[in-house]
Amino acid sequence: MLDIQKIRADFPILNREVNGRPLVYFDNAATSQKPQQVIDKIVEYYTLYNANIHRGVHALSQEATDLYEEAREKVRAFFNIPQAKQVIITSGNTHSINAVASGAHVFVKKDDEIIVSAVEHHSNIVPWQMLCERVGATLKVIPVLDSGELDMQAYEGLLNEKTAFVVVNHVSNALGVTNPVEEIIKGAHEHGAMTLIDGAQSCGHMKLDMQALDADFYTMSGHKMCGPTGIGILYGKEEALNALPPYQGGGEMIDQVTFEHTTYAGLPHKFEAGTPNIAGGIALGAAVDYLNELGMDNIAAYEHELLIYATEQLKAIEGLKIYGDVVNKAAVISFNVTTLHPYDIGTIVDKLGIAVRTGHHCAQPVMERYSIPGTVRASFAFYNTKEEIDIMVQALQRAVSMLS
């Protein structure tokens, strides 16, 4: 059982007011807020041991290196990754996806097919389109049903001997629907295809086990799991990472350099060119500690409770339609109110101190599927409360009465 008031005390931003009202932050799918423990780690790094890592013999460099690598090990254990060298630290989820897509020509050849889903974030569509253009492959799309769930029968029909890569998100950022990634991965592997799962919306909200999941690659967003911005994780099976060429060239990712030839470092440094976000990496370790202390099963159960409550309350508003209203979903509700533009609703509730996201959520194909310009998206985290949901519902009722 989570002590929500004690947890809320760890997040200093929750004490502030917006437009003269207490902040109600329901934009957690865009970024989570940060506990004081994570903020303190960032300040501590720059205050006590700011130095570049891995190549220094002096005390500050060694201290920073040890803490950075300790954070890598914390991430490894948190996601049950076999070895720390399979934890590639990146600048974010988008970087992680691009690191794979940029080198995936080793897995995808001319006339091959790449399968994506119709509910992907743009960051899990565009890099694969670019790969298709480079190698002459074809992009295939798993359709989405009216419910917001993927058409798994259609997916099975798309798989064939030409399928080289299957890439889907674990949780849709636009709808909140949790996709059956275990089934998707199994089907891909049965046809000899590689898999990448975009875990931006899952990594901070559910317990994940990379070995049980069996994806070839899995990407994660640090700032969506209480860590700082500018930090992310790419997990890959060791064989897949070894086959993938480096994404960037520079310092740290090399073994030997001559003007005639360069050899590359082993994992994980092969994919970590240049000076990384050292403070961010160390602070991500603090975020993992924080989530571990609360327990991911506890977090998932409480956020589901918030989802059920909010869904019931929102459905009572006349003319309100929820997209992706299914059983298997994360604590994300995407909705519209008949005849009202989502931007107008978002603007009014912001005046009342409530932060929700409006627009296409970097998922324009999803909006096209439902023939809408965008939605209002309320996304919850373990530090939110039912009382805050009540405030949002009252604000939405006020917005509807003002705009109708």
Side-chain angles (χ1 to χ4, degrees), residues 120 137 151 168 215-216 247 252 284 286 299 386:
E120 298 307 309
D151 186 338
V168 298
D216 298 290
Y247 178 47
E252 189 65 29
L284 180 61
I299 288 172
K386 291 179 180 178

Side-chain angles (χ1 to χ4, degrees), residues 1-22:
M1 179 73 86
L2 299 178
D3 185 341
I4 304 305
Q5 292 310 312
K6 181 175 182 294
I7 289 169
R8 286 178 64 83
D10 289 334
F11 291 80
I13 201 169
L14 299 181
N15 294 320
R16 71 160 292 181
E17 292 187 348
V18 173
N19 295 318
R21 295 173 182 266

